[in-house]
Every structure is written in C-alpha cells, then in structure tokens.
C-alpha cells in the first residue's frame, strides 16, 4: 500500500472512532426545565389526600380526597366526576385495557373497582390492613394493594375482585412500579429496601438494600433503561438498576418527598417535596443525572401525578393552621385545598 492509502485508512478509522465516542457521550442537561406553576384548581372540602392518578389516554386526573376521589378533566381542569365511599383513599390505579379503575381505601381495608367511562363503582373487595399504594399489573391482569399495617401485598383478580393471595413483604410498603414483564418493584420504607416480586407466582425475586437512601417513599420507573427512581427521606433521589439492584446515582432533591415520576418523552425524573418544590432531574445517560432546577410549588405539595401526553404535573396541596401542642400538623384551612398545575413551556 502507498503512504497515501495508509493515511486515508487511518483518517477513516480516526473519524469512525471519534464519531462513536461522540455518540456515546452523555446528553447534556438543559439549562432550564421550562417548568413553572401556571394554574391552581380549587377543590371543595377539607379532607386530606395522598396520591394522584393520571389517565393520559382518557384525559382524566384522579385526586384522592379523604372519603372520595375527585375526577378532573386533564385539559380543561374542570371537575367532571366523583367516586364516593372510598374511606381513607390513598391511591388510584388504571387498567385501560379492561376499562376499569381501582382505589386503595386505607381506613376501610378494601379496594373499590369502578368503570372508567361512567365512574360508577363495580364492587368493593377486601385487602390487607391499611392499603396504601395500589398498582395494576397488565401481564397477569391483577391488582395489587400494598398494605402498610399488615406489611404485605394483596393480589386481586382485576375482573372479578377475587382474592388470589398475599405476599408478606417484611416491612412497611410504600409506592410500587410494574417492570413490564410480570414483575413488580415496591419500596419498603422502614427497612430502606427495594423488593422485586413475581406478580404471577406471588413470590419475592429480589430484596435489595438502597443505602445511602433512607426511608424510600415515591417510586417511578424507566422501562427502556431498566432504571427506578426512589424518593428518599434524606433529600436524595436514588436511581436503581432494576436488573442488579445497584444504586447508580443519588441526585439531591428537596425535603419531605412523597412521590416520584419519570417522563420518557423528556428524559426528566421528578420528585415532589413537602417543602414546596418540584425537583426536576435530567437523565443524561442511564447512570448519570443532573438536577436541572427546583420549581417552586407550595408547601404541602408532596404528591403528584404526571400526564405523559402534555408533560404536565398535577400536585395537590392545602394550607394549614399552626399545629397545637402535641400535634404534628394543624387543621386544614377551609377552602384551601387545591391542585397545582405545573406545565412545561
């Protein structure tokens, strides 16, 4: 070969290697997320709340509100319905393929099944004690409630409501996420663990410690990259490899987190915190994360729901009187319960 040919080959190799290295570099986080609080939706009543469920396809937002669930239009923000008699409701799960929704009723120790079109109850079925998070697992077509007081998970047939079994979890469960393959992840708050269970066999596949994360609550999942996002009480978001259980990143978040979300359309992970912030974290690569900003919301806005179609975040909140001696929290101020709407420009 001539020297010119060697030079040409070397240049081509260098270009290929350089291009490969360039494509492998993590995607830089934007300077701003573009998110801001744009609207407040007032909702009548002074009862408490917990989780928010968003049905992006049907354009509905389900807001837990003490003894009932308030249903909003995801686009107009109007109240379009109500699901009654859900005492101590914590969570709402959606099975679009079955046309059904489900609630976890913490004070009643049961789950209400309802029709997604009419919002009318279909039936009420027993669970463990103090069901908190609730999840529909689409591969097995089962509904799971994660019961705080009995420290277990109840599996129900999503069509009949029949009890299919109970999975002891060895600690207090918080939020859960389906892995898309018939498995479920659930945070164990008092043990600072992540449990991975088989939704069909009702057995535990893995039990992983989440150190340095303490007292995990909210949980979200990136199905493409097999990453989970756990909100930790010590002001961090633990990013976990869903195949190995390894904590790969711990970006800082605000204080008092109770919910997490992940948006595959923007590569943003979110943490809503009771100190009045929505932390927005950019996924630069599956194992690298950058805190973009802490969007001001309102104190007490600790839970949220994410609309994957519009990328809008919905956060319930309220104002409270100063707590009396011995109280953890004061009484809710009348007329202050509302859902905050945080939108992306």
């Amino acid at each position: 070969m001539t020297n010119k040919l060697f030079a040409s080959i070397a240049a081509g190799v260098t270009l290929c290697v350089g291009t490969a290295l360039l494509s492998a570099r993590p995607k830089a986080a934007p300077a701003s997320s573009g998110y801001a609080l744009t609207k407040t939706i007032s909702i009548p009543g002074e009862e408490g709340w917990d989780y928010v469920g968003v049905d992006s396809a049907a354009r509905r937002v389900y807001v837990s509100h003490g003894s009932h669930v308030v249903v909003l239009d995801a686009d107009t923000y109007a109240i379009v319905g109500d699901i009654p008699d859900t005492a101590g409701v914590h969570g709402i799960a959606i099975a679009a393929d079955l046309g059904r929704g489900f609630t976890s009723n913490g004070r009643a120790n049961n789950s209400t099944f309802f029709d997604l079109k009419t919002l009318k109850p279909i039936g009420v079925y027993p669970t463990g004690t103090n069901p908190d998070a609730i999840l529909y697992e689409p591969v097995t077509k089962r509904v799971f409630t994660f019961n705080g007081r009995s420290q277990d998970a109840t599996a129900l047939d999503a069509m009949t409501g029949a009890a299919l079994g109970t999975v002891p979890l060895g600690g207090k469960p918080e939020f859960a996420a389906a892995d898309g393959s018939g498995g479920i992840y659930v945070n164990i708050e008092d043990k600072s663990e992540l449990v991975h269970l088989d939704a069909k066999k009702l057995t535990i596949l893995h039990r992983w410690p989440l150190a340095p994360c303490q007292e995990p609550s909210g949980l979200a999942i990136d199905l493409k990259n097999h990453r989970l996002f756990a909100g930790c009480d010590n002001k961090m978001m633990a990013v976990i490899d869903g195949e190995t259980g390894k904590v790969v990143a711990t970006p800082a978040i605000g204080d008092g987190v109770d919910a997490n979300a992940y948006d595959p359309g923007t590569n943003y992970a979110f943490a809503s915190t009771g100190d009045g912030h929505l932390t927005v974290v950019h996924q630069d690569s599956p194992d690298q994360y950058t805190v973009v900003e802490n969007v001001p919301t309102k104190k007490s806005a600790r839970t949220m729901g994410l609309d994957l179609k519009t990328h809008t975040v919905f956060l319930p909140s309220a104002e409270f009187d100063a707590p009396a001696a011995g109280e953890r929290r004061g009484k809710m101020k009348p007329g202050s319960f509302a859902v905050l709407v945080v939108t992306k420009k």
Side-chain angles (χ1 to χ4, degrees):
M1 290 185 182
T2 66
N3 290 337
K4 287 184 178 181
L5 181 58
F6 275 119
S8 176
I9 294 172
V13 171
T14 302
L15 178 61
C16 290
V17 172
T19 302
L21 289 173
L22 182 63
S23 63
R25 289 175 183 170
K27 184 185 293 184
S32 170
S33 69
Y35 275 96
L37 174 59
T38 56
K39 189 173 180 62
T40 299
I41 309 167
S42 181
I43 295 179
E46 278 69 64
E47 293 184 271
W49 73 93
D50 201 352
Y51 299 118
V52 179
V54 180
D55 186 344
S56 297
R59 311 308 301 139
R60 281 176 168 170
V61 181
Y62 296 87
V63 183
S64 62
H65 196 23
S67 62
H68 62 120
V69 176
V70 178
V71 187
L72 305 175
D73 184 296
D75 298 308
T76 68
Y77 309 145
I79 296 175
V80 295
D82 192 275
I83 303 166
D85 303 322
T86 57
V89 58
H90 286 279
I92 304 96
I94 303 297
D97 57 331
L98 303 180
R100 295 189 168 199
F102 319 91
T103 68
S104 52
N105 308 326
R107 288 200 300 270
N109 301 323
N110 58 32
S111 174
T112 299
F113 287 25
F114 63 93
D115 184 277
L116 288 181
K117 289 185 178 179
T118 66
L119 301 178
K120 291 182 178 180
I122 295 170
V124 179
Y125 305 98
T127 65
T129 309
N130 187 28
D132 191 343
I134 187 167
L135 177 75
Y136 172 64
E137 201 292 302
V139 176
T140 58
K141 300 190 185 305
R142 294 176 173 182
V143 179
F144 287 78
T145 65
F146 298 89
N147 313 306
R149 197 159 296 126
S150 53
Q151 299 190 351
D152 52 22
T154 301
L156 304 172
D157 185 292
M159 287 301 296
T160 67
L164 301 174
T166 300
V167 184
L169 295 173
K172 182 179 180 296
E174 272 287 332
F175 210 72
D179 68 6
S181 303
I184 296 172
Y185 299 95
V186 56
N187 280 330
I188 307 300
E189 185 180 33
D190 58 341
K191 299 294 179 65
S192 297
E193 292 178 339
L194 182 69
V195 165
H196 188 202
L197 61 90
D198 186 308
K200 183 177 181 179
K201 296 180 180 179
L202 301 182
T203 56
I204 292 178
L205 300 171
H206 305 99
R207 185 183 295 275
W208 292 312
L210 293 183
C213 170
Q214 298 175 9
E215 299 182 30
S217 52
L219 188 67
I221 190 167
D222 169 10
L223 291 172
K224 178 182 177 182
N225 295 302
H226 307 287
R227 295 293 182 268
L228 293 115
F229 307 91
C232 309
D233 191 59
N234 54 332
K235 297 194 288 187
M236 68 172 61
M237 178 190 292
V239 183
I240 305 122
D241 185 319
E243 296 179 341
T244 66
K246 179 183 177 182
V247 175
V248 298
T250 54
I253 62 174
D255 189 28
V257 63
D258 204 15
N260 291 76
Y262 176 74
D263 189 343
T266 60
N267 294 322
Y268 281 139
F270 302 90
S272 53
T273 57
D275 64 358
H277 293 93
L278 176 69
T279 303
V280 183
V281 178
H282 184 262
Q283 184 185 63
D284 307 329
S285 73
D287 291 345
Q288 295 187 35
Y289 296 82
T290 301
V291 176
V292 178
E293 62 185 312
N294 288 287
V295 180
T297 55
K298 193 172 184 178
K299 284 191 174 182
S300 79
R302 70 188 194 282
T303 61
M304 66 174 159
L306 172 65
D307 182 357
L308 294 176
K309 180 179 179 180
T310 63
H311 313 293
T312 298
V313 182
F314 297 91
L315 305 99
S317 70
E319 295 178 5
F320 294 86
D321 293 328
E327 286 185 336
R328 184 173 65 89
R329 184 172 58 202
K331 293 182 179 179
M332 185 187 298
K333 293 183 179 181
S336 70
F337 183 64
V339 172
L340 311 180
V341 183
V342 176
T343 57
K344 183 174 173 60
K345 296 177 183 178

